[in-house]
Amino acid sequence: IDHRTCQNVSSSSITPISITEFYQKEFVTLYDNPSRTGSARVYYRTEFLDTQEDILFIQYNVCASDPAFPIEGFIEETLALVSSKKPSKIILDLRYNGGGDSSLAESLIDGLARYQRAQGFTLDVLIGERTFSSALMNAVQLKQRSNATLVGTPTGGSVNHFGEVKTF
């Protein structure tokens, strides 16, 4: 049924969209997620979770660069916050990241590892069933390059699985 005209529809079509288009769309849901750390319709974001600016929350939802806020600028701003505010804990959320280009997070991973060695903060990386492909690769890189703890549920992928697949 076409809800706009209340008439029966004999066919329908689905048009795929790019990840860029997806993150530019606005969606309406039947539920409200009031959690500050829930999935946000942004590529990435950083915020302090407490008033003492002691816990820094970084959400990385897609391994891609937002055309409106390129990832290089996001990483630069995030690492500047880590350098200046010296949080005691950083939480990096990969729970809603389905992948993309794992190399885009290289400087963030290396920067967090470097600052962790210098400042000694706790680094927790949140993973879950919606953590796939390049996001899973980034989680493993964080574990290997820093003293990060992976926290959550099993991921939707495997480190022994192919990623960043190209077709020809």
Side-chain angles (χ1 to χ4, degrees):
I1 295 180
D2 183 337
H3 297 285
R4 293 169 291 188
T5 62
C6 294
Q7 297 175 358
N8 285 335
V9 177
S10 60
S11 67
S12 63
S13 64
I14 298 173
T15 305
I17 61 174
S18 70
I19 193 72
T20 301
E21 292 172 300
F22 176 79
Y23 278 98
Q24 292 172 349
K25 300 280 185 194
E26 291 197 27
F27 296 92
V28 176
T29 61
L30 298 176
Y31 60 91
D32 184 23
N33 185 356
S35 171
R36 288 176 57 195
T37 61
S39 176
R41 289 277 175 220
V42 295
Y43 283 57
Y44 29 74
R45 66 188 176 104
T46 303
E47 71 174 279
F48 284 97
L49 294 182
D50 62 354
T51 56
Q52 289 80 29
E53 297 184 343
D54 202 39
I55 301 173
L56 183 65
F57 178 76
I58 304 168
Q59 189 166 50
Y60 187 43
N61 287 332
V62 61
C63 298
S65 187
D66 182 349
F69 183 31
I71 195 164
E72 296 84 5
F74 166 73
I75 291 171
E76 185 178 315
E77 285 182 15
T78 300
L79 294 177
L81 277 175
V82 173
S83 175
S84 65
K85 300 294 185 178
K86 297 181 177 36
S88 67
K89 179 185 219 43
I90 294 179
I91 301 169
L92 176 57
D93 190 352
L94 299 175
R95 291 175 297 169
Y96 309 104
N97 192 321
D101 181 353
S102 65
S103 69
L104 293 175
E106 290 284 331
S107 60
L108 177 64
I109 292 166
D110 290 340
L112 289 174
R114 185 177 62 252
Y115 282 119
Q116 186 185 41
R117 284 189 295 276
Q119 297 174 4
F121 55 79
T122 302
L123 176 58
D124 291 334
V125 180
L126 305 182
I127 56 174
E129 62 187 20
R130 291 171 56 189
T131 307
F132 285 98
S133 190
S134 292
L136 178 56
M137 292 167 66
N138 289 153
V140 170
Q141 290 167 335
L142 281 155
K143 181 72 176 159
Q144 292 172 338
R145 297 181 194 175
S146 70
N147 190 20
T149 301
L150 302 182
V151 179
T153 59
T155 64
S158 166
V159 293
N160 293 328
H161 197 266
F162 53 85
E164 296 183 27
V165 177
K166 306 287 186 213
T167 58
F168 64 95

